Amino acid sequence: MEAPALRPVAHRVAMYDMDRTITRAGTYSGFLMHVARRRQPWRLLLLPLVGLAGLAYSLRLIDRARLKAINLRLLVGRRFSRTEIAPLAESYADKVVARGLHPAALDQIAADRAAGYRLLLATASFHLYVDAIARRLGMDDVLATRLDEPDGGDHIHARLSGDNCYGDAKFARITGWLADNAITREDAHIRAYSDHVSDHPMLRFADEAVATTPSRKLRRLAPRMGWQVVDWRGRR
């Protein structure tokens, strides 16, 4: 991506969505299947219930956050140990990084890093495995969906803690992160990359917005907003 001349600022931040922006496909379902196959294969018998939950979501009987919690409960469990899941999160991250990334996204991440940008990964996927992927990508900070840890210990419950980090909720997390890091909007140059129209608040906020291998709705919106459109499939 060819970068325009930048005004002098104290902070440079590059914000990346993850699923289908950096990765070739979504990672949430893949993670659940990865864990179920290696930990409790009998849970694969519950896949018809996963399908019913998906149908309920498509009929707008449940929201996206509820769908994610239901599927996690079915394929991983109502309550599980972090120490037990952590090795599976690491092996899943290895799998994603080995075969599931857009090479052109990696090139852009490297270019932003070399240009002095602080790299922020902002995704609706779970911290439970996103943190492992982020470490492999060399991200500086991560915003992702949190799960409930009511006892403050090793056990995690299959329910979300706070909002699903998606759309407006993701942008609220971003503005909170900026405030926590004493980064004011007027003193920062911000780049944002996403494939999906749900990230329009983040893209609209950026100085440079890039629609990466965009969904149909984002492909229509981007030219009207003056956002760059790139196709990262199969490029190096």
Side-chain angles (χ1 to χ4, degrees), residues 204-226:
R204 191 169 58 243
F205 184 71
D207 296 287
E208 299 175 64
V210 186
T212 60
T213 319
S215 63
R216 185 178 304 170
K217 288 184 179 179
L218 182 56
R219 186 175 293 278
R220 289 199 300 265
L221 177 64
R224 299 201 300 268
M225 300 297 294

Side-chain angles (χ1 to χ4, degrees), residues 134-220:
R135 287 196 303 273
R136 287 157 175 78
L137 294 174
M139 291 289 169
D140 298 305
D141 298 271
V142 180
L143 300 175
T145 299
R146 305 183 184 99
L147 293 172
D148 198 9
E149 302 176 56
D151 57 8
D154 181 55
H155 287 97
I156 300 170
H157 291 231
R159 55 179 180 256
L160 275 58
S161 176
D163 290 330
N164 186 32
C165 189
Y166 179 85
D168 289 331
K170 180 193 287 191
F171 184 61
R173 293 278 304 277
I174 288 170
T175 56
W177 176 86
L178 291 170
D180 290 345
N181 286 274
I183 300 173
T184 61
R185 184 64 189 88
E186 59 272 15
D187 210 17
H189 185 91
I190 295 173
R191 290 177 174 171
Y193 306 85
S194 179
D195 74 294
H196 199 266
V197 72
S198 64
D199 277 324
H200 69 86
M202 177 180 77
L203 294 168
R204 191 169 58 243
F205 184 71
D207 296 287
E208 299 175 64
V210 186
T212 60
T213 319
S215 63
R216 185 178 304 170
K217 288 184 179 179
L218 182 56
R219 186 175 293 278
R220 289 199 300 265

Side-chain angles (χ1 to χ4, degrees), residues 101-138:
L101 304 181
H102 289 301
L106 299 180
D107 291 344
Q108 188 61 53
I109 291 168
D112 285 341
R113 183 185 299 113
Y117 281 80
R118 185 168 176 177
L119 303 175
L120 173 65
L121 186 64
T123 174
S125 294
F126 293 141
H127 268 292
L128 190 61
Y129 67 91
V130 169
D131 290 344
I133 295 174
R135 287 196 303 273
R136 287 157 175 78
L137 294 174

Side-chain angles (χ1 to χ4, degrees), residues 30 32-41 44 47 75 95:
L32 298 184
M33 295 294 290
H34 180 86
V35 172
R37 288 191 181 109
R38 287 157 180 78
R39 180 170 169 264
Q40 294 175 323
L44 299 177
L47 284 174
L75 294 177
K95 178 180 176 181

